[in-house]
Each structure stands twice: as structure tokens, then as C-alpha cells.
Amino acid sequence: RPLVRVEQVSKEYAMGGEVLKALNGVSLTVGYGEFVAIIGPSGSGKSTLMNILGCLDTPTSGKYWLEGEEVSRLPENRLAEIRNRKIGFIFQNFNLLPKLTALENVELPLIYRGMKGAERRERAMEALRKVGLADRTRHRPAELSGGQQQRVAIARALAGSPPVLLGDEPTGALDSKTSGEVMELMLELNREGHTIILITHNMDVADQAKRIVRIADGVLDEGGGAACISP
Ligand code: ADP
Ligand code: ADP
């Protein structure tokens, strides 16, 4: 049973009298432990696909199974539950709450799950240790560098041990050195068994993934074709 199975998914937006097909018959299977980059230019449908994979939106047609459960037609309250249990989100702009400390930011998804004080703090600490920020737990986001803020966000994504980490241009706001360090951390997490799906328009980022899927005009292309046939 694959972690992610998307079959013939389309997403249409009504634009005045027109219908715009942001995704057109997309199929994608991702197994546990994979590190996949989905790369495409602006307007190709990346965010639309990310929103569907992250259960933030549902397809117009087609089906999506997450860990074997069909999630393509669920109401918002069920989707919110699935997001909280199954998806660790990592965003370009970190999306940390400025008034909370690093530790409190990492505790947030655990609060949503109803986890109580001591256990919650221990889990959050463990996640911060994993990203190398055990000595920054009381800092607020503004007191941390961009790379450190993204590592807090990664710790937040990890805290609830979701089966998949979903990154939307996670290095997009970082300089190239810091961005390399964040990718190195993602590779390390993947080596430890975490499944990672990244959405990016940056080939240098995509190149570090184990598998690259291209998207253009709402259509996926795994590449290869004839070149894939082994001798
Ligand atoms: P990307 O993330 O690759 O830039 P998007 O998924 O944001 O691509 O957009 C794909 C296409 O769908 C674009 O033509 C975009 O204008 C359109 N689109 C995206 N979101 C909406 C929306 N909420 N309403 C209407 N059109 C949208
Ligand atoms: P609740 O309904 O309990 O307030 P939310 O729907 O706000 O829960 O959030 C559930 C999970 O989904 C959280 O872990 C949150 O990080 C994530 N989430 C919610 N909204 C978004 C969003 N717009 N983009 C990315 N992740 C989101």
C-alpha cells in the first residue's frame, strides 16, 4: 500500500465564464521513504497539487488515497484532522508565530492533537534537538536567522511524527549557503526514513531529491521515456 496514490486528478477553477484547468489528469504514487521533488515553472499547477496532496483542497475529479484512505471527497473538518495527523508542512516563509518561542511554535501541532504539557514539551524538545536547535528553544523567530527559523519550522513539521513531510519551496527565502544546509537536513531526515515531497521551481533543489517529477500546464511528466529502457 503506497503512502500517496493520486489517480487522474483534475482541478478546475471557474474564471468568469471560462473554466481553467489547473491540473489535468494527474497521477502520482509515492512510497514510504521516498524523497520526491515536483518541479515546474510558475503557473504550472504546483501550488494546486501541493494543496491537494496536503489535504488543504480537494480535486474536481479523480481520486487521492493517503495511506490507503480515500481523502478526495472529505468535508473540511475531516480534512483538517487528516492534515494534523498525517502531514508535516514546511513553507517558504516558515509561517512561525512571532510571539511564541521556538519551543512553543513546535508544540503547536501537538496542542491541536490534544497532547498534554509534559509529554508535549518533551516531544517538541526532541524535534528541536533533531534539527540542531536544542540551544535555541526560548528564542522567538525574530531572534533567529532565516536558516534557524526554517529549522524550527521543520521541527514543528516533525513533532507529531506525520508519515509525510510536504515542503512548498522550503529554501525559497534562503541564501544559497543556508539553503544548502536546509537541504542537507532534509536529506538526513530522508536517510532516517522520513518521506519527503518538495514542490519547487529551482532545479538545484530538485536535483538533490531521489526522484524528480516535472509539472507543466497541469500535467505531470516523470521524464525518462525511451531513455529509461535499460540495456
Ligand atoms: P504554480 O504554483 O505552479 O505557480 P498554481 O497551482 O498556483 O501554479 O496555478 C496553476 C493555474 O491555476 C494558474 O493558471 C493559476 O492562475 C490558476 N489558479 C490557481 N489558483 C487559482 C484560484 N484559486 N482561482 C483561479 N485560478 C487559480
Ligand atoms: P484547526 O481546524 O484545529 O484549527 P487547522 O485546520 O487550522 O486546524 O490546522 C490543521 C493542521 O493543518 C495544522 O497542523 C496546520 O499546521 C495545518 N494547516 C492549516 N491551515 C493550513 C494552511 N493554510 N496551509 C498549510 N497548513 C495548514
Side-chain angles (χ1 to χ4, degrees):
R1 184 188 78 173
L3 172 55
V4 160
R5 181 170 163 227
V6 170
E7 279 293 326
Q8 288 297 317
V9 155
S10 294
K11 180 72 181 181
E12 299 174 358
Y13 294 113
M15 294 285 285
E18 305 278 299
V19 171
L20 184 135
K21 252 194 171 164
L23 294 177
N24 191 355
V26 163
S27 298
L28 175 71
T29 301
V30 178
Y32 288 92
E34 283 205 71
F35 190 156
V36 185
I38 299 173
I39 185 166
S42 177
S44 57
K46 295 187 300 298
S47 306
T48 304
L49 180 56
M50 155 105 183
N51 287 343
I52 290 174
L53 291 175
C55 295
L56 293 159
D57 203 354
T58 51
T60 309
S61 63
K63 291 188 172 186
Y64 174 22
W65 293 264
L66 184 57
E67 298 201 292
E69 178 183 7
E70 194 190 334
V71 294
S72 22
R73 305 278 175 271
L74 295 178
E76 171 52 31
N77 63 328
R78 289 280 296 117
L79 288 176
E81 226 172 88
I82 287 167
R83 284 199 294 275
N84 189 239
R85 302 217 149 260
K86 303 214 163 180
I87 320 271
F89 290 95
I90 304 162
F91 301 100
Q92 175 165 0
N93 293 311
F94 325 134
N95 286 18
L96 299 174
L97 295 183
K99 291 189 174 164
L100 300 187
T101 65
L103 184 67
E104 289 163 345
N105 267 285
V106 176
E107 283 183 72
L108 268 187
L110 304 177
I111 291 176
Y112 284 132
R113 289 188 187 197
M115 197 182 284
K116 294 286 179 271
E119 185 189 1
R120 196 172 73 217
R121 266 187 300 282
E122 185 40 48
R123 287 279 285 271
M125 274 303 300
E126 192 185 313
L128 281 165
R129 274 195 292 273
K130 195 160 220 180
V131 301
L133 284 180
D135 57 347
R136 294 288 187 278
T137 58
R138 292 167 169 279
H139 288 61
R140 292 195 165 69
E143 300 163 324
L144 298 169
S145 69
Q148 289 172 331
Q149 289 181 59
Q150 191 59 301
R151 284 192 279 153
V152 172
I154 292 170
R156 179 184 57 190
L158 288 170
S161 308
V164 61
L165 299 178
L166 196 53
D168 186 4
E169 216 66 83
T171 61
L174 305 173
D175 63 55
S176 63
K177 177 169 174 284
T178 310
S179 147
E181 289 163 7
V182 165
M183 283 307 290
E184 193 43 59
L185 172 60
M186 302 264 209
L187 283 164
E188 175 60 30
L189 293 171
N190 177 245
R191 281 193 289 271
E192 288 172 15
H194 290 278
T195 308
I196 304 180
I197 303 177
L198 292 189
I199 308 263
T200 183
H201 66 265
N202 184 336
M203 199 57 214
D204 292 334
V205 168
D207 263 339
Q208 304 196 50
K210 305 281 166 58
R211 173 178 166 205
I212 299 179
V213 178
R214 290 163 198 281
I215 182 167
D217 294 329
V219 176
L220 284 196
D221 176 10
E222 286 258 2
C228 248
I229 297 164
S230 359

